[in-house]
Amino acid sequence: MARISSEKKAQTSVEYLVILGVILVIALIAIGLSIFFGQTQGDAVMQETRTYWSAQAFPIKIMDMQGYTYPDASAGTLGEIGLVLENDDSKPLNITGLALDGESTFNVYSTHSVSGSLGTAISGDSSGINPAYGIKLSPGDQYTIYLRPGTACKYSSGNPPTTFSRNLTITYKSRYFSGITFKGVKPIMGKCNPSS
Amino acid sequence: MRPIGSRRSGRLSGQATIEYILVLAMSIIIVLIGIGLYSYLVDSGQELQNSQLRLYWSQQARPFIIDDSLYETSNHRFYLAISSLADEELNISGIMLNNTPLSFYLYDDTQPDNLGALKCTSVDCTSTPCACSARIRPGAAVSLVTQSYLSPEELCGSNGQGGKLMLLITYDRPNDLDINYTQTSLAPLPFVCT
């Protein structure tokens, strides 16, 4: 009888430890899942579009995108969208136009505007970039541009913008063909952060 | 009072149930992790494969390399930039995509649909046998536009981004016209839908 009692105690201890271990593992998994699903659906979609533009888009990738809004500037100040373009092709490309759905005209800049004031554009026209100049990218080159569209990330006191989402079409030419349009499968998307 | 054997049996049964649930939960977790990894690796692998194909066609194919390959969704035509790495002049006498012979034009961005001079005896080599001729000097390139071929829905994939198909170029040496050569696809040609 004494031997059986001792065995029982050992078994109880092992079971207790196993259950404790399992509870710990389940708790850790639950914490991980809650963190994972804690992100809003919007965040997940945003991450998905960023992954598309930085890894799958071809021949021009967008390695980073960031929106800026200017809450301290006068109402009606245009927002800004920063894009890091990269030529993923094996040949030089010349970007001659950018178009955003829902935005008629906008200028393109090579520097970020901290205050919200408009500086000197790269040479904007109705398609975003003057085709006579363009943005020339050698293979693997990156170039950061800042768009100032009419509505995306535009500050208004009653309705401060929090995110932007626009379909982007890039027009470019290679040494062989011109007027090639590349429309991303997914829109460019991001948060409109206060500029600083 | 129940016999000891009966109590021990009940505990063992409970223990087996817990163990069963644990194994089931762990199996489900492992399967979920496996599915996540698989979908991630498939996406990465697809992109890697496309970049390898582009590398092959732009650097390793012989005697012609393809510097650019586009499918224009508005007119259903392929745009091919073909360079010759041969040390003599060659004459492209035919282009086939997925075993379909296509007529082709010189690319001219001043003309409607970018159609320059027709380089074949017929505008439609798919339904009519025709002869084509586009000469390329050593190290030179020629930009061609093919006749219409299939629709974007058939070629550009579910996301409309692009695809890949087999390209076959027949050519001859102008100084030795009796012999026809064929550059077959060792790998599919990836293209971008624009």
Side-chain angles (χ1 to χ4, degrees), chain B residues 12-140:
Chain B
L12 281 176
S13 168
Q15 187 179 348
T17 306
I18 289 174
E19 284 170 359
Y20 171 75
I21 289 171
L22 285 179
V23 170
L24 189 67
M26 285 183 176
S27 303
I28 289 172
I29 289 170
I30 289 169
V31 166
L32 286 175
I33 291 172
I35 290 172
L37 276 176
Y38 173 76
S39 59
Y40 173 77
L41 291 175
V42 163
D43 282 351
S44 304
Q46 192 70 25
E47 185 52 33
L48 185 65
Q49 190 193 34
N50 277 343
S51 59
Q52 284 176 334
L53 292 174
R54 281 192 283 270
L55 191 68
Y56 165 76
W57 277 105
S58 64
Q59 294 183 8
Q60 297 169 350
R62 295 290 185 277
F64 301 111
I65 57 172
I66 308 297
D67 285 318
D68 221 344
S69 51
L70 309 167
Y71 175 73
E72 177 58 63
T73 53
S74 63
N75 59 20
H76 301 186
R77 297 178 189 276
F78 273 92
Y79 289 60
L80 301 172
I82 302 175
S83 295
S84 170
L85 299 183
D87 55 5
E88 63 179 319
E89 188 177 61
L90 297 178
N91 180 52
I92 295 177
S93 55
I95 289 177
M96 294 175 82
L97 292 175
N98 279 359
N99 290 324
T100 303
L102 301 175
S103 67
F104 51 86
Y105 304 74
L106 289 181
Y107 172 79
D108 184 347
D109 60 6
T110 65
Q111 299 298 318
D113 270 357
N114 309 122
L115 299 181
L118 176 63
K119 305 304 288 182
C120 300
T121 54
S122 168
V123 295
D124 182 4
C125 290
T126 303
S127 54
T128 311
C130 59
C132 303
S133 172
R135 292 194 175 196
I136 308 185
R137 294 189 308 278

Side-chain angles (χ1 to χ4, degrees), chain A residues 97-101 103 106 126-128 167-171:
Chain A
L98 298 168
L100 292 171
D101 283 2
E103 306 280 357
F106 57 89
S126 59
S127 65
N167 288 313
L168 171 69
T169 302
I170 302 172
T171 305

